[in-house]
Amino acid sequence: MEIQTWTFIIVGATFALYIGIAIWSRAGTTKDFYVAGGNVPPLFNGMATAADWMSAGSFISMAGMIAFLGYDGSVYLMGWTGGYVLLALLLAPYLRKFGKFTVPDFVGDRYYSSGARMVAVFCAVFISFTYVAGQMRGTGIVFSRFLNVEIEIGVVIGMIIVFFYAVMGGMKGITYTQVAQYCVLIFAYLVPVIFISIMMTGNALPQLGFGGTLEDGTYLLDRLDGLSEELGLAMYTSGNKPMIDVFFITAALMIGTAGLPHVIVRFFTVPRVRDARTSAGYALIFIVLLYSTAPALAAFAKVNLVDTIHNTQYSEVPDWFTNWEQTGLVEFNDLNNDGIINYSGDPATNELRIDPDIIVLANPEIAGLPNWVIGLVAAGGLAAALSTAAGLLLVISTSVAHDLFKRTLKPDLSDKNELWIARIAAGFAVIVAGYFGINPPGFVAQTIAFAFGLAAASFFPAIILGIFYKKMNKEGAIAGMIVGVFFTASYIIYFTFIRPELNNPDHWLFGISPEGIGTLGMLLNMAVALVVVRFTKSPPQHIQELVENIRVPGKRS
């Protein structure tokens, strides 16, 4: 069967499964909608957390960034993996013990202030919209290639699907849908890379194949370094970014992970505090399956890509090239009119432009794998993008319905009306997310990195100080969050939208890129918060006792 036929069959079957689960587990109460009733088993919650966490950035874009950046691309791998460990150890159990529905709920109650709650609502919505743009973009890319539609149409299809099961099922529907999506995405990620590892290195374990030898006896990484030198690129195994930027990007991704509202809320869905720890452990195992494989996939894809395209007659390019060329994500510009594709690290002579976001999706085609594998990868990419998009849309809708309306503007709001407001807010959020998916501020992974920087600069200090520093007060938290998110957002917007021509190390503050500036924003947030605390009143005694209660082990809950 043709690729498109296989794609229709596999993607159609998975979509039917997701929608069926959403109907079966649809939310009937606000607690179902916000935290799945608080009774999700740890194993299922671990799988759902992994699916929520491993977004289009992880599935579609991370290996592509590593393939094109080599060593420098590892910042995404290190930052996102280390960040989840930070979240599981430092935040998850304590937030579950606090027992609130949302991150703004925690901030509002911990800092005994509707003002703090409103700042947190703004930050949650802002971060979620930035993050969800990358997911919708990833959805559009998959549909564009495999259903032969424009990226814009692909984004709209994704909007409709995610609206259906996110709005109907709420957190309950999303949770069990994400369990299924994890199974789809991890199977779709591992199957092709195992096949390719066997084909190229004779080793069924990609992690070992990554350090193994090719058929001609050369080591894979030596081959990549040789290709990089031949093409005039930086050595694959050595860095090109300033070390300070590598450190700040990695830290921003790690710290941002611990401040992402759609991941944090997952730990409110389990029955007990110890279940939050257990589900975090399960999630880490499920995440490592993909993250430990990504470098191998990137290396295999880069070798196959260069071998099949560089110095090839354009009239003789393989089918995958012309298929992806139709999406606009692969482009050949014959500068010297010789009909031969020259792929080079020199912008003056390079004739090939390849969007890094296609690497994982195109990899099975480049390697010549069966068509059903290509359809499976398409389904996996959609599962990754839609699972995270649904979690983010839920954060936006609950922030509006619960934290803005129920807890601030209209405390007497009935559960039924609160649920309606949450669904309307989710519908509005889908439309805005779709717009940013069609007009994204960067590559999928880059766009998502901006969201992590914003989370690091806003939520992380407020949460970590709220848990471990009982003298932290509302004035300090509010001032810190405002300064942190304003500084980080301004820096990103300036270099990404206002003056993109200046987006290089010569003009960055201290040599820190927009992807890494969230770390500096976090430090500013903490510094401002701790200074303000020194000159303002301590929190009420009952708040300090509350902090002691959630931090110090007591009765099991």
Side-chain angles (χ1 to χ4, degrees), residues 92-369:
Y94 305 108
L95 290 173
R96 175 59 187 85
K97 191 171 183 181
F98 196 82
K100 295 298 178 181
F101 284 162
T102 66
V103 174
D105 219 7
F106 169 83
V107 172
D109 284 8
R110 164 59 182 86
Y111 294 112
Y112 51 97
S113 167
S114 60
R117 188 186 305 277
M118 289 301 93
V119 173
V121 167
F122 170 79
C123 292
V125 171
F126 188 31
I127 292 164
S128 298
F129 272 131
T130 305
Y131 202 152
V132 82
Q135 312 314 310
M136 302 313 294
R137 173 70 173 175
T139 303
I141 289 171
V142 176
F143 279 125
S144 173
R145 162 62 188 94
F146 296 106
L147 299 184
N148 289 328
V149 298
E150 298 292 328
I151 287 182
E152 293 79 3
I153 301 298
V155 170
V156 172
I157 296 172
M159 288 166 59
I160 294 169
I161 296 295
V162 78
F163 173 80
F164 185 86
Y165 71 78
V167 171
M168 174 177 286
M171 179 59 86
K172 187 176 181 182
I174 287 171
T175 295
Y176 292 103
T177 302
Q178 285 173 336
V179 172
Q181 286 169 330
Y182 174 77
C183 296
V184 171
L185 77 86
I186 199 64
F187 188 66
Y189 202 87
L190 294 180
V191 166
V193 74
I194 289 172
F195 277 175
I196 295 170
S197 183
I198 293 172
M199 291 167 58
M200 294 181 66
T201 69
N203 200 314
L205 283 177
Q207 294 86 346
L208 297 180
F210 180 58
T213 58
L214 301 173
E215 289 183 349
D216 61 4
T218 61
Y219 282 99
L220 174 64
L221 292 175
D222 287 342
R223 170 73 171 142
L224 282 167
D225 279 340
L227 285 173
S228 297
E229 186 176 9
E230 178 185 336
L231 299 174
L233 300 168
M235 294 287 281
Y236 194 85
T237 58
S238 62
N240 195 38
K241 281 180 175 287
M243 188 52 63
I244 187 172
D245 194 35
V246 170
F247 174 80
F248 271 71
I249 293 176
T250 304
L253 295 174
M254 286 183 62
I255 298 163
T257 299
L260 284 177
H262 76 289
V263 177
I264 290 173
V265 73
R266 289 241 52 96
F267 297 104
F268 299 154
T269 64
V270 291
R272 296 166 295 186
V273 174
R274 68 177 180 181
D275 293 333
R277 296 181 187 274
T278 304
S279 63
Y282 280 132
L284 191 55
I285 294 171
F286 295 138
I287 289 167
V288 164
L289 286 176
L290 187 148
Y291 273 55
S292 64
T293 309
L297 190 155
F300 298 150
K302 186 64 176 287
V303 170
N304 282 333
L305 174 69
V306 175
D307 284 347
T308 56
I309 293 301
H310 181 54
N311 281 336
T312 300
Q313 280 283 347
Y314 179 68
S315 59
E316 299 175 359
V317 293
D319 290 342
W320 73 263
F321 187 92
T322 52
N323 290 335
W324 279 101
E325 200 173 21
Q326 293 171 17
T327 69
L329 300 173
V330 172
E331 183 180 341
F332 169 55
N333 181 19
D334 195 0
L335 296 177
N336 55 10
N337 296 314
D338 65 352
I340 298 175
I341 299 174
N342 177 46
Y343 180 43
S344 168
D346 182 359
T349 59
N350 181 45
E351 298 177 328
L352 184 64
R353 185 190 68 83
I354 298 179
D355 190 312
D357 289 340
I358 76 164
I359 287 297
V360 171
L361 300 175
N363 195 34
E365 292 179 87
I366 297 172
L369 296 184

Side-chain angles (χ1 to χ4, degrees), residues 16-78:
L17 175 64
Y18 305 154
I19 292 173
I21 292 173
I23 294 172
W24 166 74
S25 59
R26 62 186 179 274
T29 66
T30 52
K31 190 171 184 181
D32 281 345
F33 194 89
Y34 295 152
V35 291
N39 56 11
V40 178
L43 178 62
F44 285 173
N45 195 54
M47 297 178 77
T49 304
D52 211 356
W53 170 237
M54 291 189 296
S55 64
S58 295
F59 189 99
I60 295 175
S61 199
M62 181 172 64
M65 297 295 281
I66 296 172
F68 279 87
L69 297 176
Y71 176 88
D72 288 338
S74 64
V75 295
Y76 294 94
L77 186 69
M78 294 185 296

